[in-house]
């Protein structure tokens, strides 16, 4: 079983930056995908960014050029650097892992961006 724990959320003014971290515990195969999704009140969950074990990335259109995902495979961690934050980035951000056809989710961390 894999558990994911996020940290680094908080409140920031528009234009500011935050860095989210997620640490995984349990058995992690080398061939996996880790990343972030977010869900704002009244909206569907949406992709923020994912990264495979070999470094291929995928970003949601709304965050391209502003957010950067990175990983430390030895530490089983994934990070999300968020720059130029906008009020519409306000959401609960959840860490995600896909390991051998199973999906795992963290509890989520709140990010609030004020104008």
């Amino acid at each position: 079983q894999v558990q994911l724990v996020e940290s680094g959320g908080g409140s920031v003014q528009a234009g500011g930056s935050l860095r989210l971290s997620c640490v995984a515990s349990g058995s992690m195969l080398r061939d996996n995908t880790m990343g972030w999704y977010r869900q704002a009140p009244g909206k569907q969950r949406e992709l923020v960014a994912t990264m495979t074990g070999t470094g291929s990335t995928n970003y949601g259109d709304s965050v391209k050029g502003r957010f950067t995902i990175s990983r430390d495979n030895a530490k089983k961690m994934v990070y999300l650097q968020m720059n130029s934050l906008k009020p519409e980035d306000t959401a609960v951000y959840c860490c995600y892992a896909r390991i051998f056809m199973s999906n795992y989710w963290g509890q989520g961390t709140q990010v609030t961006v004020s104008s």
Side-chain angles (χ1 to χ4, degrees), residues 13-114:
Q13 289 192 325
S17 298
L18 282 173
R19 188 189 194 216
L20 304 183
S21 300
C22 172
V23 59
S25 60
S27 178
M28 296 282 287
L29 299 176
R30 178 180 295 273
D31 183 17
N32 61 69
T33 295
M34 294 187 73
W36 300 89
Y37 282 74
R38 69 186 182 186
Q39 187 164 20
K43 295 187 177 181
Q44 288 189 328
R45 184 168 57 197
E46 66 171 343
L47 167 71
V48 178
T50 59
M51 178 180 275
T52 68
T54 55
S56 296
T57 58
N58 186 31
Y59 289 92
D61 288 341
S62 61
V63 306
K64 286 179 180 176
R66 300 187 297 123
F67 291 10
T68 303
I69 189 171
S70 60
R71 291 178 57 157
D72 185 330
N73 291 332
K75 295 181 178 179
K76 300 185 195 177
M77 294 196 71
V78 62
Y79 307 96
L80 185 69
Q81 179 65 43
M82 305 185 292
N83 297 329
S84 302
L85 282 161
K86 304 175 181 180
E88 50 264 44
D89 294 318
T90 295
V92 175
Y93 285 69
C94 289
C95 184
Y96 163 81
R98 180 167 177 82
I99 303 167
F100 195 58
M101 297 185 291
S102 293
N103 296 321
Y104 300 91
W105 297 94
Q107 293 280 64
T109 185
Q110 177 70 44
V111 172
T112 302
V113 184
S114 58

